[in-house]
Amino acid sequence: MYTAIVVLLMIVLPIGSILAEMLLGGGGVPILLLIGKWFVFWAAGWRLMLAGIKQISQPQFTAHEIFKMKTDEALPIVRELGIANFAVGVLGVASIWATSFVLPVAIAGAIFYGAAGIQHVTLKDKSGNESLAMATDLLAFAVLAAYVLYVWFS
């Protein structure tokens, strides 16, 4: 289930939304603006909001299944990470209605996903879930950073 949700929210739904908007009249909007809009909504919005809910309500999943921790000592820290993820995620979801949120959420998302992806890279003996998290974190970082740079330099 974890794999399906991550692939849907980080790849399938953003790309599908971009293509749908292009086909339904998004012509004339630069592709990187569509990419930013939909990756912020799905990857930095729904993905982080749902991850936050999971980390707040079931911190052991992140601690044990993602990071392979053996004890529960880190659960309060995982819950705090969940609160931060939820907060950014809510802003990402809201960006579909408050378009002024897109750039700030893209910046926050790029920083978060870049740092998280690098942290995953440095860990040895990654689980399948951790490898998926690493790959999608680095993908989200690249996409969101490209959007941010495009907006800043256009």
Side-chain angles (χ1 to χ4, degrees), residues 1-3 6 47 61 65-67 120 126-136:
M1 186 65 133
Y2 173 79
T3 300
V6 170
R47 171 72 180 105
F61 176 81
E65 298 297 320
I66 303 293
F67 291 109
H120 289 299
K126 288 180 232 352
S127 67
N129 285 343
E130 190 171 19
S131 294
L132 176 65
M134 177 190 68
T136 56

Side-chain angles (χ1 to χ4, degrees), residues 16-27 34:
S17 297
I18 293 162
L19 293 174
E21 186 164 339
M22 289 172 66
L23 293 172
L24 298 172
L34 292 177

Side-chain angles (χ1 to χ4, degrees), residues 6 20 28-29 31 57 60 83 89 93 98 111 118 133 138:
V6 170
V29 175
I31 186 72
S57 64
Q60 42 298 29
I83 294 165
V93 170
I111 292 167
I118 289 168
L138 293 173

Side-chain angles (χ1 to χ4, degrees), residues 7-152:
V7 170
L8 275 172
L9 293 172
M10 301 289 279
I11 300 168
V12 174
L13 291 170
I15 291 172
S17 297
I18 293 162
L19 293 174
E21 186 164 339
M22 289 172 66
L23 293 172
L24 298 172
V29 175
I31 186 72
L32 272 171
L33 292 182
L34 292 177
I35 289 170
K37 171 184 176 179
W38 290 109
F39 270 86
V40 163
F41 179 73
W42 291 112
W46 282 103
R47 171 72 180 105
L48 290 180
M49 189 171 70
L50 293 174
I53 291 168
K54 180 81 168 178
Q55 291 160 338
I56 293 165
S57 64
Q58 294 179 314
Q60 42 298 29
F61 176 81
T62 297
H64 301 300
E65 298 297 320
I66 303 293
F67 291 109
K68 298 183 295 183
M69 295 176 178
K70 305 279 188 250
T71 69
D72 289 344
E73 289 178 35
L75 297 187
I77 295 167
V78 173
R79 278 194 183 97
E80 286 193 31
L81 170 65
I83 294 165
N85 280 339
F86 182 77
V88 173
V90 166
L91 293 173
V93 170
S95 74
I96 206 72
W97 298 282
T99 57
S100 63
F101 289 9
V102 176
L103 181 60
V105 174
I107 293 167
I111 292 167
F112 173 79
Y113 280 124
I118 289 168
Q119 180 178 323
H120 289 299
V121 167
T122 64
L123 298 174
K124 296 178 179 161
D125 302 322
K126 288 180 232 352
S127 67
N129 285 343
E130 190 171 19
S131 294
L132 176 65
M134 177 190 68
T136 56
D137 287 355
L138 293 173
L139 170 67
F141 164 73
V143 170
L144 294 169
Y147 167 76
V148 170
L149 292 173
Y150 174 79
V151 170
W152 277 349

